[in-house]
Amino acid sequence: MSYRVIALDLDGTLLTPAKTILPESLTALARAQQVGVKVLIATGRHHCAIHPFYQALQLDTPAICCNGTYLYDYPAQRVLTADPLDKAQAVQVIAMLEEARIHGLLYVDDAMLYQTPTGHVTRTLNWAQSLPEAQRPVFLQVPDLAQAARDAQAIWKFALSHPDTRALQQFAERVQTELGLACEWSWHDQVDIAQAGNSKGKRLRQWVESQGLSMQDVLAFGDNYNDLSMLEQVGLGVAMGNADEAIKSRAKRVIGTNLEPGIAEVIYQEVL
């Protein structure tokens, strides 16, 4: 079957550990677009943190951001559809974070906010500073995260990281039980908190059907738990070799790691 849409997770999938795209992937994806295949980014990232990759791929499609919390139109620089967190819910999460002494990033509007510079925040800031100024995402340190949440127009998600993953897991379980929010792991030590019901798969399905297509027309690549919702719904869901075994077991195909040209190879086999 020749697929008409290619959906790609970024970190751990399309991106190498150095946050670059393999030249083989760039070439294959460019050729796919030349024959009319639509290429979409489906990421846990904020839209302001995918500029270099969106531009390198020369896309004209909207981006699925923050694990499906919203769909962002890059050319028009506007949100097309979204299900953000309620402000009262966000303030509750912040109070619970303070109690648990867990820190992270709060994704709002066009920026990412933090109160305490954890290792995860520092690494992300260092990556941002390595980019050309026009591509740098907006990171802001705020004195009061709860007040910043109240002042935001839209709250996309929390990205929480903690060296004690068991404590992070317990916190996520508490948030799910007490507040009914969605908690998805996007990295081995990072859990994302967003409005319940949001997922990459749900947002991808909405966009695909708006184009008069079905999920069977989609080829998707991913490596983590926040990718399962799309990997399991599309015509061909492909897991990276660096994914956990639990992810690999639920994908229809497993390829090499994000340091190997497996994405390009699948595109040549299934699309071109």
Side-chain angles (χ1 to χ4, degrees), residues 155-216:
I155 300 170
W156 306 129
K157 75 167 189 177
F158 290 88
L160 310 177
S161 185
H162 196 274
D164 184 347
T165 54
R166 178 58 186 157
L168 198 58
Q169 184 176 19
Q170 290 173 339
F171 182 82
E173 290 169 356
R174 183 184 169 199
V175 167
Q176 287 177 303
T177 301
E178 297 183 15
L179 302 182
L181 298 178
C183 297
E184 287 194 302
W185 292 84
S186 56
W187 206 245
H188 66 90
D189 63 349
Q190 180 177 313
V191 67
D192 297 339
I193 298 175
Q195 189 59 261
N198 289 332
S199 71
K200 292 183 181 183
K202 173 186 173 182
R203 198 66 68 187
L204 178 61
R205 179 181 291 276
Q206 288 177 351
W207 184 83
V208 165
E209 291 179 351
S210 77
Q211 304 301 299
L213 302 170
S214 81
M215 290 291 269
Q216 292 303 306

Side-chain angles (χ1 to χ4, degrees), residues 47-61:
H47 71 265
C48 74
I50 65 174
H51 287 305
F53 317 120
Y54 190 90
Q55 291 169 1
L57 294 168
Q58 299 183 340
L59 301 181
D60 60 2
T61 50

Side-chain angles (χ1 to χ4, degrees), residues 91-104:
V91 171
Q92 282 182 285
V93 172
I94 292 167
M96 293 166 68
L97 286 169
E98 291 173 351
E99 180 186 336
R101 297 185 179 180
I102 293 174
H103 306 287

Side-chain angles (χ1 to χ4, degrees), residues 61-63 69-83 156 203 206-207 210-211:
T61 50
T69 295
Y70 65 106
L71 189 67
Y72 189 77
D73 182 336
Y74 257 93
Q77 296 186 358
R78 66 187 182 97
V79 174
L80 296 174
T81 180
D83 295 291
W156 306 129
R203 198 66 68 187
Q206 288 177 351
W207 184 83
S210 77
Q211 304 301 299

